Amino acid sequence: MARPRKPLLSRDRIVDAARSLVDAEGLAAVSTRRLAAELGVSGPSLYNHFATKDQILEAVADSVSAQVDLSMFEDGRDWRAALHDWAVSYRAALTRHPNIVPVLARGPGRRPAGLRLADAMFGAMVDAGWPPAQATSIGALMRYFIMGSALGSFAGGFVDDEAAYDPADYPHLGQAHLLAEHQERVDERAFDAGLAALLDGLALQYDRVTLRAG
C-alpha cells in the first residue's frame, strides 16, 4: 500500500502554521527551523516561498488584515456607521491574534490586504465629503485607537490581589483587584465608549466641513 502523501508545501500552509505559532507563543517563537519542524519539512524548503523570517511575519500580519470586513464601505452605509462597523471588525480581528499587533502597528508597507484596508477606508471618507487631508488624519486616528486597544488589556493590567491596593497608598483603587475577573467586559466597554466619543467628535468636524463646502 502506498504511503499517504504529505500535503504540498505552500505559502498558505506556511502562513497558517506561523500564525498558529504566533497566536500560541508570540513573535519570538517563530523561526524557520521551528516552522519547518511544525510543517514536517526541511528548513531550506521554506526559502522557496519566503526569503526571510520577517517576510513570513509580514505575511501573517497581512492574513490578519484580510479578516477585517470592508463591506460597509461599499453597501451604502453613511460614513459614521461604516467607520463604526469597520472599527469593530478591525478590533475583533486583532483581538483574535493579539501577538501579531506589533507587526501590524508598523503600517501596511507593501502588504496587499493592509493596503486594500487603507484604500477602502480612505476612499469611503473622501466619497462622503471629507477633504483628503482630513480623511488621512481619520485613518491615522482610527488606527492609533484600534491598535492601542488591541496591544494590551487595561483590566488585565491589574492583579486580583486586594492587598496590592492598600487604601493608604491608593485611596481610589479599592476595587481594582476585581478588574481582571471582568477583563473582557471592561475592555469592550472602554472600546465602545472611546469609539463613540471619537465618532461624536468627528461628526462635529464633519458638520463644519460640509458647512464650509456649502
Side-chain angles (χ1 to χ4, degrees):
M1 180 181 296
R3 285 189 288 180
R5 296 176 59 189
K6 291 182 180 178
L8 292 175
L9 190 62
S10 66
R11 286 179 63 92
D12 286 345
R13 279 194 69 213
I14 296 169
V15 170
D16 287 348
R19 187 175 56 241
S20 295
L21 195 54
V22 171
D23 288 346
E25 300 182 35
L27 294 171
V30 178
S31 68
T32 53
R33 176 180 292 183
R34 178 73 183 276
L35 277 175
E38 294 284 334
L39 291 162
V41 299
S42 64
S45 64
L46 298 178
Y47 296 115
N48 293 323
H49 301 276
F50 294 98
T52 65
K53 183 184 85 168
D54 284 345
Q55 285 186 4
I56 296 173
L57 292 176
E58 287 287 312
V60 170
D62 213 38
S63 74
V64 173
S65 292
Q67 297 176 17
V68 181
D69 183 15
L70 301 178
S71 64
M72 67 285 297
F73 296 130
E74 303 168 353
D75 62 10
R77 268 172 268 190
D78 68 82
W79 70 266
R80 176 173 175 149
L83 206 56
H84 173 276
D85 295 346
W86 171 74
V88 170
S89 177
Y90 201 164
R91 179 176 182 266
L94 299 189
T95 54
R96 287 192 296 269
H97 308 283
N99 291 335
I100 199 64
V101 173
V103 178
L104 284 162
R106 300 171 193 162
R110 298 177 183 272
R111 299 193 297 266
L115 290 171
R116 284 192 295 271
L117 187 154
D119 180 73
M121 192 286 305
F122 177 79
M125 294 304 102
V126 172
D127 289 346
W130 286 98
Q134 286 178 275
T136 299
S137 296
I138 291 170
L141 169 66
M142 297 303 292
R143 191 165 71 85
Y144 298 152
F145 175 66
I146 297 165
M147 294 282 181
S149 75
L151 275 172
S153 165
F154 172 80
F158 293 86
V159 299
D160 61 358
D161 178 8
E162 186 175 3
Y165 307 104
D166 189 329
D169 296 320
Y170 315 108
H172 305 295
L173 296 182
Q175 300 297 306
H177 65 287
L178 301 175
L179 287 172
E181 181 182 348
H182 305 286
Q183 176 177 330
E184 184 175 349
R185 182 166 62 87
V186 171
D187 290 345
E188 287 188 358
R189 190 169 59 194
F191 177 80
D192 291 343
L195 181 57
L198 283 178
L199 295 175
D200 285 346
L202 288 174
L204 293 174
Q205 291 186 36
Y206 184 74
D207 289 343
R208 292 195 292 270
V209 166
T210 53
L211 184 63
R212 286 198 300 268

Short mmCIF file of all heavy atoms in Angstrom, two decimals, residues 15-76:
data_model
loop_
_atom_site.label_atom_id
_atom_site.label_comp_id
_atom_site.label_asym_id
_atom_site.label_seq_id
_atom_site.Cartn_x
_atom_site.Cartn_y
_atom_site.Cartn_z
N VAL A 15 2.06 30.23 6.19
CA VAL A 15 1.44 31.35 6.91
C VAL A 15 0.49 30.83 7.99
O VAL A 15 0.49 31.35 9.12
CB VAL A 15 0.70 32.28 5.93
CG1 VAL A 15 -0.15 33.31 6.68
CG2 VAL A 15 1.69 33.00 5.02
N ASP A 16 -0.29 29.82 7.68
CA ASP A 16 -1.20 29.26 8.68
C ASP A 16 -0.44 28.71 9.88
O ASP A 16 -0.83 28.93 11.04
CB ASP A 16 -2.05 28.14 8.06
CG ASP A 16 -3.11 28.66 7.11
OD1 ASP A 16 -3.36 29.88 7.11
OD2 ASP A 16 -3.68 27.84 6.37
N ALA A 17 0.66 28.00 9.60
CA ALA A 17 1.46 27.44 10.70
C ALA A 17 2.11 28.54 11.52
O ALA A 17 2.16 28.48 12.76
CB ALA A 17 2.52 26.49 10.14
N ALA A 18 2.62 29.55 10.84
CA ALA A 18 3.28 30.65 11.55
C ALA A 18 2.27 31.44 12.38
O ALA A 18 2.56 31.83 13.52
CB ALA A 18 3.96 31.58 10.55
N ARG A 19 1.08 31.66 11.84
CA ARG A 19 0.05 32.38 12.59
C ARG A 19 -0.35 31.61 13.85
O ARG A 19 -0.50 32.20 14.93
CB ARG A 19 -1.16 32.64 11.71
CG ARG A 19 -2.22 33.55 12.37
CD ARG A 19 -3.36 33.90 11.42
NE ARG A 19 -3.97 32.71 10.90
CZ ARG A 19 -4.02 32.40 9.59
NH1 ARG A 19 -3.49 33.20 8.69
NH2 ARG A 19 -4.60 31.28 9.18
N SER A 20 -0.50 30.31 13.73
CA SER A 20 -0.83 29.49 14.89
C SER A 20 0.27 29.56 15.95
O SER A 20 -0.01 29.62 17.15
CB SER A 20 -1.06 28.03 14.47
OG SER A 20 -2.18 27.92 13.62
N LEU A 21 1.50 29.57 15.48
CA LEU A 21 2.63 29.65 16.40
C LEU A 21 2.69 31.00 17.10
O LEU A 21 2.90 31.09 18.32
CB LEU A 21 3.93 29.39 15.63
CG LEU A 21 5.19 29.08 16.42
CD1 LEU A 21 4.97 27.92 17.37
CD2 LEU A 21 6.34 28.78 15.46
N VAL A 22 2.47 32.07 16.33
CA VAL A 22 2.45 33.41 16.92
C VAL A 22 1.31 33.52 17.93
O VAL A 22 1.48 34.06 19.03
CB VAL A 22 2.31 34.49 15.82
CG1 VAL A 22 2.05 35.85 16.45
CG2 VAL A 22 3.55 34.53 14.96
N ASP A 23 0.14 33.01 17.57
CA ASP A 23 -1.01 33.07 18.49
C ASP A 23 -0.71 32.35 19.79
O ASP A 23 -1.06 32.82 20.88
CB ASP A 23 -2.24 32.43 17.84
CG ASP A 23 -2.85 33.28 16.74
OD1 ASP A 23 -2.51 34.47 16.64
OD2 ASP A 23 -3.67 32.74 15.97
N ALA A 24 -0.07 31.20 19.69
CA ALA A 24 0.15 30.36 20.87
C ALA A 24 1.32 30.82 21.73
O ALA A 24 1.25 30.77 22.96
CB ALA A 24 0.36 28.91 20.44
N GLU A 25 2.40 31.29 21.07
CA GLU A 25 3.64 31.51 21.82
C GLU A 25 4.28 32.88 21.61
O GLU A 25 5.26 33.20 22.27
CB GLU A 25 4.66 30.42 21.46
CG GLU A 25 4.17 29.01 21.78
CD GLU A 25 5.22 27.96 21.46
OE1 GLU A 25 6.43 28.25 21.64
OE2 GLU A 25 4.84 26.86 21.03
N GLY A 26 3.77 33.68 20.68
CA GLY A 26 4.32 35.01 20.47
C GLY A 26 5.31 35.06 19.32
O GLY A 26 5.72 34.04 18.76
N LEU A 27 5.71 36.28 18.96
CA LEU A 27 6.58 36.51 17.82
C LEU A 27 7.93 35.82 17.98
O LEU A 27 8.50 35.33 17.00
CB LEU A 27 6.79 38.01 17.61
CG LEU A 27 5.56 38.82 17.21
CD1 LEU A 27 5.88 40.31 17.27
CD2 LEU A 27 5.10 38.43 15.81
N ALA A 28 8.46 35.80 19.19
CA ALA A 28 9.80 35.24 19.41
C ALA A 28 9.86 33.75 19.12
O ALA A 28 10.95 33.21 18.88
CB ALA A 28 10.24 35.51 20.85
N ALA A 29 8.71 33.08 19.11
CA ALA A 29 8.70 31.63 18.88
C ALA A 29 8.92 31.27 17.41
O ALA A 29 9.24 30.12 17.11
CB ALA A 29 7.38 31.03 19.36
N VAL A 30 8.76 32.24 16.53
CA VAL A 30 8.83 31.94 15.10
C VAL A 30 10.28 31.92 14.62
O VAL A 30 11.03 32.88 14.81
CB VAL A 30 8.04 32.97 14.27
CG1 VAL A 30 8.16 32.67 12.78
CG2 VAL A 30 6.57 32.96 14.68
N SER A 31 10.66 30.83 14.04
CA SER A 31 11.96 30.70 13.36
C SER A 31 11.75 29.75 12.19
O SER A 31 10.80 28.95 12.18
CB SER A 31 13.03 30.16 14.30
OG SER A 31 12.76 28.81 14.64
N THR A 32 12.62 29.80 11.21
CA THR A 32 12.47 28.90 10.07
C THR A 32 12.64 27.45 10.52
O THR A 32 11.95 26.56 10.02
CB THR A 32 13.48 29.25 8.97
OG1 THR A 32 14.81 29.30 9.52
CG2 THR A 32 13.15 30.60 8.34
N ARG A 33 13.54 27.22 11.46
CA ARG A 33 13.73 25.85 11.95
C ARG A 33 12.47 25.34 12.64
O ARG A 33 12.03 24.21 12.40
CB ARG A 33 14.91 25.81 12.92
CG ARG A 33 15.12 24.44 13.56
CD ARG A 33 16.28 24.43 14.52
NE ARG A 33 17.55 24.60 13.85
CZ ARG A 33 18.73 24.57 14.46
NH1 ARG A 33 18.80 24.37 15.76
NH2 ARG A 33 19.84 24.75 13.78
N ARG A 34 11.87 26.18 13.50
CA ARG A 34 10.66 25.77 14.22
C ARG A 34 9.51 25.54 13.24
O ARG A 34 8.76 24.57 13.36
CB ARG A 34 10.30 26.85 15.23
CG ARG A 34 9.02 26.56 16.02
CD ARG A 34 9.22 25.47 17.05
NE ARG A 34 7.97 25.15 17.73
CZ ARG A 34 7.51 25.83 18.79
NH1 ARG A 34 8.20 26.87 19.28
NH2 ARG A 34 6.38 25.47 19.36
N LEU A 35 9.35 26.43 12.28
CA LEU A 35 8.28 26.27 11.30
C LEU A 35 8.46 25.01 10.46
O LEU A 35 7.49 24.29 10.18
CB LEU A 35 8.21 27.50 10.39
CG LEU A 35 7.44 28.70 10.93
CD1 LEU A 35 7.57 29.87 9.97
CD2 LEU A 35 5.98 28.35 11.15
N ALA A 36 9.69 24.76 10.06
CA ALA A 36 9.96 23.56 9.26
C ALA A 36 9.58 22.31 10.05
O ALA A 36 8.98 21.37 9.51
CB ALA A 36 11.43 23.51 8.86
N ALA A 37 9.91 22.31 11.34
CA ALA A 37 9.55 21.16 12.18
C ALA A 37 8.04 21.01 12.30
O ALA A 37 7.50 19.90 12.24
CB ALA A 37 10.19 21.32 13.56
N GLU A 38 7.35 22.14 12.47
CA GLU A 38 5.89 22.10 12.58
C GLU A 38 5.25 21.56 11.31
O GLU A 38 4.23 20.86 11.34
CB GLU A 38 5.35 23.51 12.87
CG GLU A 38 5.74 24.10 14.21
CD GLU A 38 4.96 23.50 15.37
OE1 GLU A 38 3.82 23.03 15.15
OE2 GLU A 38 5.50 23.49 16.50
N LEU A 39 5.85 21.89 10.18
CA LEU A 39 5.30 21.50 8.88
C LEU A 39 5.82 20.15 8.40
O LEU A 39 5.35 19.63 7.38
CB LEU A 39 5.61 22.58 7.85
CG LEU A 39 4.88 23.91 8.05
CD1 LEU A 39 5.57 25.03 7.26
CD2 LEU A 39 3.43 23.79 7.63
N GLY A 40 6.80 19.62 9.09
CA GLY A 40 7.36 18.33 8.69
C GLY A 40 8.18 18.40 7.42
O GLY A 40 8.16 17.46 6.61
N VAL A 41 8.90 19.50 7.23
CA VAL A 41 9.72 19.68 6.03
C VAL A 41 11.12 20.09 6.45
O VAL A 41 11.39 20.38 7.61
CB VAL A 41 9.11 20.74 5.08
CG1 VAL A 41 7.72 20.31 4.63
CG2 VAL A 41 9.07 22.11 5.76
N SER A 42 12.01 20.17 5.49
CA SER A 42 13.36 20.67 5.77
C SER A 42 13.36 22.19 5.76
O SER A 42 12.58 22.82 5.03
CB SER A 42 14.35 20.14 4.72
OG SER A 42 14.01 20.65 3.44
N GLY A 43 14.21 22.78 6.56
CA GLY A 43 14.28 24.23 6.66
C GLY A 43 14.46 24.94 5.33
O GLY A 43 13.74 25.91 5.03
N PRO A 44 15.41 24.50 4.49
CA PRO A 44 15.62 25.21 3.23
C PRO A 44 14.40 25.24 2.32
O PRO A 44 14.29 26.15 1.48
CB PRO A 44 16.77 24.41 2.59
CG PRO A 44 17.50 23.81 3.75
CD PRO A 44 16.44 23.48 4.75
N SER A 45 13.47 24.31 2.47
CA SER A 45 12.30 24.31 1.59
C SER A 45 11.42 25.53 1.81
O SER A 45 10.69 25.95 0.91
CB SER A 45 11.48 23.03 1.80
OG SER A 45 10.96 22.97 3.11
N LEU A 46 11.51 26.13 3.01
CA LEU A 46 10.73 27.34 3.26
C LEU A 46 11.20 28.50 2.38
O LEU A 46 10.40 29.37 2.02
CB LEU A 46 10.83 27.75 4.73
CG LEU A 46 10.30 26.77 5.78
CD1 LEU A 46 10.53 27.33 7.17
CD2 LEU A 46 8.83 26.49 5.56
N TYR A 47 12.48 28.48 2.04
CA TYR A 47 13.03 29.60 1.27
C TYR A 47 12.57 29.59 -0.18
O TYR A 47 12.82 30.57 -0.90
CB TYR A 47 14.56 29.58 1.36
CG TYR A 47 15.06 29.81 2.76
CD1 TYR A 47 15.76 28.82 3.45
CD2 TYR A 47 14.81 31.01 3.42
CE1 TYR A 47 16.21 29.02 4.74
CE2 TYR A 47 15.26 31.23 4.71
CZ TYR A 47 15.95 30.22 5.37
OH TYR A 47 16.38 30.43 6.66
N ASN A 48 11.90 28.55 -0.60
CA ASN A 48 11.28 28.58 -1.93
C ASN A 48 10.06 29.50 -1.95
O ASN A 48 9.58 29.88 -3.03
CB ASN A 48 10.85 27.17 -2.36
CG ASN A 48 12.02 26.25 -2.57
OD1 ASN A 48 13.06 26.67 -3.07
ND2 ASN A 48 11.87 24.99 -2.19
N HIS A 49 9.58 29.85 -0.75
CA HIS A 49 8.37 30.68 -0.65
C HIS A 49 8.63 32.01 0.05
O HIS A 49 7.98 33.01 -0.28
CB HIS A 49 7.29 29.91 0.11
CG HIS A 49 6.92 28.61 -0.53
ND1 HIS A 49 6.01 28.52 -1.56
CD2 HIS A 49 7.36 27.34 -0.30
CE1 HIS A 49 5.89 27.26 -1.93
NE2 HIS A 49 6.70 26.52 -1.19
N PHE A 50 9.53 32.02 1.01
CA PHE A 50 9.85 33.24 1.76
C PHE A 50 11.36 33.32 1.94
O PHE A 50 11.99 32.35 2.36
CB PHE A 50 9.18 33.23 3.14
CG PHE A 50 7.68 33.29 3.09
CD1 PHE A 50 6.92 32.13 3.21
CD2 PHE A 50 7.02 34.50 2.93
CE1 PHE A 50 5.54 32.17 3.17
CE2 PHE A 50 5.64 34.56 2.89
CZ PHE A 50 4.89 33.39 3.01
N ALA A 51 11.92 34.50 1.67
CA ALA A 51 13.37 34.66 1.77
C ALA A 51 13.84 34.81 3.21
O ALA A 51 14.95 34.42 3.55
CB ALA A 51 13.82 35.86 0.95
N THR A 52 12.98 35.38 4.08
CA THR A 52 13.38 35.64 5.46
C THR A 52 12.23 35.38 6.42
O THR A 52 11.06 35.31 6.02
CB THR A 52 13.82 37.11 5.64
OG1 THR A 52 12.69 37.96 5.42
CG2 THR A 52 14.93 37.49 4.67
N LYS A 53 12.56 35.29 7.69
CA LYS A 53 11.53 35.17 8.72
C LYS A 53 10.65 36.41 8.74
O LYS A 53 9.43 36.32 8.96
CB LYS A 53 12.18 34.96 10.09
CG LYS A 53 11.16 34.76 11.21
CD LYS A 53 11.82 34.65 12.56
CE LYS A 53 12.07 36.04 13.16
NZ LYS A 53 12.45 35.99 14.59
N ASP A 54 11.25 37.59 8.54
CA ASP A 54 10.45 38.82 8.55
C ASP A 54 9.38 38.80 7.45
O ASP A 54 8.27 39.29 7.66
CB ASP A 54 11.35 40.05 8.36
CG ASP A 54 12.12 40.40 9.62
OD1 ASP A 54 11.74 39.89 10.70
OD2 ASP A 54 13.07 41.17 9.54
N GLN A 55 9.70 38.23 6.31
CA GLN A 55 8.69 38.12 5.26
C GLN A 55 7.53 37.22 5.69
O GLN A 55 6.37 37.48 5.35
CB GLN A 55 9.32 37.57 3.97
CG GLN A 55 10.19 38.58 3.22
CD GLN A 55 10.66 38.03 1.89
OE1 GLN A 55 10.28 36.93 1.47
NE2 GLN A 55 11.50 38.80 1.20
N ILE A 56 7.85 36.18 6.43
CA ILE A 56 6.78 35.30 6.93
C ILE A 56 5.88 36.06 7.90
O ILE A 56 4.66 35.99 7.81
CB ILE A 56 7.39 34.06 7.61
CG1 ILE A 56 8.17 33.22 6.60
CG2 ILE A 56 6.29 33.23 8.28
CD1 ILE A 56 8.93 32.06 7.22
N LEU A 57 6.49 36.83 8.80
CA LEU A 57 5.70 37.59 9.76
C LEU A 57 4.87 38.66 9.07
O LEU A 57 3.72 38.94 9.47
CB LEU A 57 6.61 38.22 10.82
CG LEU A 57 7.28 37.23 11.77
CD1 LEU A 57 8.23 37.96 12.72
CD2 LEU A 57 6.24 36.44 12.57
N GLU A 58 5.42 39.27 8.02
CA GLU A 58 4.64 40.24 7.26
C GLU A 58 3.42 39.56 6.63
O GLU A 58 2.32 40.12 6.59
CB GLU A 58 5.51 40.87 6.17
CG GLU A 58 6.55 41.85 6.69
CD GLU A 58 5.93 43.17 7.13
OE1 GLU A 58 5.12 43.73 6.38
OE2 GLU A 58 6.23 43.60 8.26
N ALA A 59 3.61 38.35 6.13
CA ALA A 59 2.50 37.62 5.52
C ALA A 59 1.46 37.23 6.56
O ALA A 59 0.26 37.24 6.29
CB ALA A 59 3.02 36.39 4.79
N VAL A 60 1.91 36.86 7.75
CA VAL A 60 0.98 36.56 8.84
C VAL A 60 0.16 37.81 9.17
O VAL A 60 -1.07 37.74 9.32
CB VAL A 60 1.73 36.06 10.08
CG1 VAL A 60 0.79 35.98 11.29
CG2 VAL A 60 2.35 34.69 9.82
N ALA A 61 0.84 38.94 9.29
CA ALA A 61 0.14 40.19 9.59
C ALA A 61 -0.90 40.49 8.52
O ALA A 61 -2.03 40.88 8.82
CB ALA A 61 1.14 41.34 9.70
N ASP A 62 -0.54 40.27 7.26
CA ASP A 62 -1.48 40.57 6.18
C ASP A 62 -2.66 39.61 6.20
O ASP A 62 -3.78 39.99 5.84
CB ASP A 62 -0.78 40.51 4.83
CG ASP A 62 -1.36 41.50 3.84
OD1 ASP A 62 -1.73 42.62 4.27
OD2 ASP A 62 -1.48 41.18 2.65
N SER A 63 -2.43 38.38 6.63
CA SER A 63 -3.54 37.42 6.71
C SER A 63 -4.55 37.85 7.76
O SER A 63 -5.75 37.56 7.64
CB SER A 63 -3.01 36.01 7.02
OG SER A 63 -2.61 35.88 8.37
N VAL A 64 -4.09 38.54 8.79
CA VAL A 64 -5.00 39.07 9.81
C VAL A 64 -5.74 40.29 9.27
O VAL A 64 -6.95 40.44 9.48
CB VAL A 64 -4.24 39.39 11.11
CG1 VAL A 64 -5.14 40.09 12.12
CG2 VAL A 64 -3.66 38.11 11.71
N SER A 65 -5.04 41.16 8.54
CA SER A 65 -5.72 42.30 7.91
C SER A 65 -6.82 41.83 6.97
O SER A 65 -7.87 42.48 6.85
CB SER A 65 -4.71 43.16 7.13
OG SER A 65 -3.80 43.80 7.99
N ALA A 66 -6.60 40.71 6.32
CA ALA A 66 -7.59 40.18 5.38
C ALA A 66 -8.86 39.72 6.07
O ALA A 66 -9.90 39.53 5.41
CB ALA A 66 -6.99 39.03 4.58
N GLN A 67 -8.82 39.55 7.40
CA GLN A 67 -10.01 39.14 8.15
C GLN A 67 -10.95 40.31 8.45
O GLN A 67 -12.08 40.10 8.92
CB GLN A 67 -9.60 38.47 9.46
CG GLN A 67 -8.80 37.20 9.29
CD GLN A 67 -8.32 36.62 10.61
OE1 GLN A 67 -8.82 36.98 11.69
NE2 GLN A 67 -7.35 35.74 10.57
N VAL A 68 -10.49 41.53 8.21
CA VAL A 68 -11.31 42.71 8.52
C VAL A 68 -12.37 42.90 7.44
O VAL A 68 -12.05 42.94 6.25
CB VAL A 68 -10.44 43.97 8.65
CG1 VAL A 68 -11.31 45.18 9.00
CG2 VAL A 68 -9.34 43.77 9.70
N ASP A 69 -13.61 43.03 7.85
CA ASP A 69 -14.73 43.23 6.92
C ASP A 69 -14.63 44.64 6.33
O ASP A 69 -14.44 45.61 7.05
CB ASP A 69 -16.05 43.07 7.69
CG ASP A 69 -17.27 43.20 6.80
OD1 ASP A 69 -17.13 43.12 5.57
OD2 ASP A 69 -18.38 43.37 7.35
N LEU A 70 -14.76 44.74 5.01
CA LEU A 70 -14.74 46.04 4.33
C LEU A 70 -16.06 46.31 3.60
O LEU A 70 -16.18 47.35 2.93
CB LEU A 70 -13.59 46.07 3.31
CG LEU A 70 -12.18 45.86 3.87
CD1 LEU A 70 -11.16 45.87 2.73
CD2 LEU A 70 -11.84 46.93 4.90
N SER A 71 -17.04 45.43 3.77
CA SER A 71 -18.28 45.58 3.00
C SER A 71 -19.03 46.85 3.36
O SER A 71 -19.79 47.37 2.54
CB SER A 71 -19.18 44.36 3.24
OG SER A 71 -19.58 44.28 4.60
N MET A 72 -18.85 47.35 4.57
CA MET A 72 -19.57 48.55 5.00
C MET A 72 -19.20 49.80 4.20
O MET A 72 -19.92 50.79 4.20
CB MET A 72 -19.35 48.80 6.49
CG MET A 72 -17.94 49.17 6.89
SD MET A 72 -16.77 47.78 6.88
CE MET A 72 -17.47 46.74 8.14
N PHE A 73 -18.06 49.75 3.52
CA PHE A 73 -17.66 50.88 2.69
C PHE A 73 -18.24 50.81 1.28
O PHE A 73 -18.01 51.70 0.47
CB PHE A 73 -16.14 50.96 2.61
CG PHE A 73 -15.48 51.23 3.93
CD1 PHE A 73 -14.42 50.45 4.38
CD2 PHE A 73 -15.90 52.27 4.75
CE1 PHE A 73 -13.80 50.69 5.59
CE2 PHE A 73 -15.30 52.52 5.97
CZ PHE A 73 -14.24 51.74 6.39
N GLU A 74 -18.98 49.74 1.01
CA GLU A 74 -19.48 49.52 -0.35
C GLU A 74 -20.99 49.36 -0.43
O GLU A 74 -21.55 49.31 -1.52
CB GLU A 74 -18.83 48.25 -0.94
CG GLU A 74 -17.30 48.31 -0.96
CD GLU A 74 -16.68 46.96 -1.28
OE1 GLU A 74 -17.44 45.96 -1.33
OE2 GLU A 74 -15.46 46.90 -1.44
N ASP A 75 -21.67 49.26 0.73
CA ASP A 75 -23.09 48.92 0.71
C ASP A 75 -24.02 50.09 1.02
O ASP A 75 -25.20 49.89 1.31
CB ASP A 75 -23.38 47.75 1.65
CG ASP A 75 -23.05 48.07 3.11
OD1 ASP A 75 -22.78 49.25 3.43
OD2 ASP A 75 -23.06 47.13 3.93
N GLY A 76 -23.50 51.30 0.97
CA GLY A 76 -24.38 52.47 1.13
C GLY A 76 -24.52 52.99 2.54
O GLY A 76 -25.26 53.97 2.76
#
